[in-house]
Amino acid sequence: QVQLVETGGGLVQAGGSLRVSCTVSGGLLRVYTMAWFRQAPGKERTFVGVSARGSGQLLYGESVKGRFTITRDYANNTVDLQMNNLKPEDTAIYYCAGRLDGMSTQSQNYYYWGQGTQVTVSS
């Protein structure tokens, strides 16, 4: 059974950086399209970015483009989200998600999910 575990969340000041990681167990990272979503209090879960299986093609949400970067570490079976120039509006629980098919920005298309990690950006 595939399991995803996020680590690395925390509290950071606006303008700072944070890196969150998602460790994949029970499966090989290379066969999965991996995405990051986030959910702020009282709001719907929204798309952050995705890394396609195979090609590794990347796609980011407009609000994080140029500030966030997704990378894969096949040796450790992890996918990381590097977040730079953080803003208070980036405060949310961040979730990694996986699927065996191609890229999607829709959360309902992912069937593997981590438990989430809290990222809080203070002003």
Side-chain angles (χ1 to χ4, degrees), residues 16-120:
S17 297
L18 203 61
R19 189 178 189 93
V20 292
S21 294
C22 175
T23 301
V24 179
S25 62
L28 293 176
L29 175 61
R30 67 172 182 265
V31 305
Y32 296 99
T33 286
M34 299 298 297
W36 287 93
F37 292 84
R38 66 186 183 185
Q39 188 166 17
K43 297 188 177 180
E44 293 185 351
R45 193 168 296 188
T46 59
F47 170 74
V48 174
V50 60
S51 168
R53 69 172 192 167
S55 68
Q57 182 183 355
L58 300 170
L59 180 67
Y60 297 97
E62 284 300 318
S63 64
V64 306
K65 198 175 293 184
R67 299 188 297 123
F68 289 13
T69 304
I70 295 173
T71 56
R72 292 178 177 242
D73 181 345
Y74 290 106
N76 293 304
N77 234 34
T78 62
V79 57
D80 294 346
L81 178 66
Q82 176 67 40
M83 302 179 287
N84 298 327
N85 190 22
L86 282 159
K87 305 175 182 180
E89 52 264 41
D90 293 319
T91 295
I93 298 175
Y94 283 72
Y95 299 90
C96 68
R99 66 195 300 253
L100 287 169
D101 302 299
M103 295 172 67
S104 174
T105 62
Q106 304 301 309
S107 61
Q108 62 266 29
N109 292 335
Y110 289 82
Y111 32 85
Y112 300 115
W113 287 87
Q115 82 289 350
T117 186
Q118 176 70 47
V119 171
T120 303

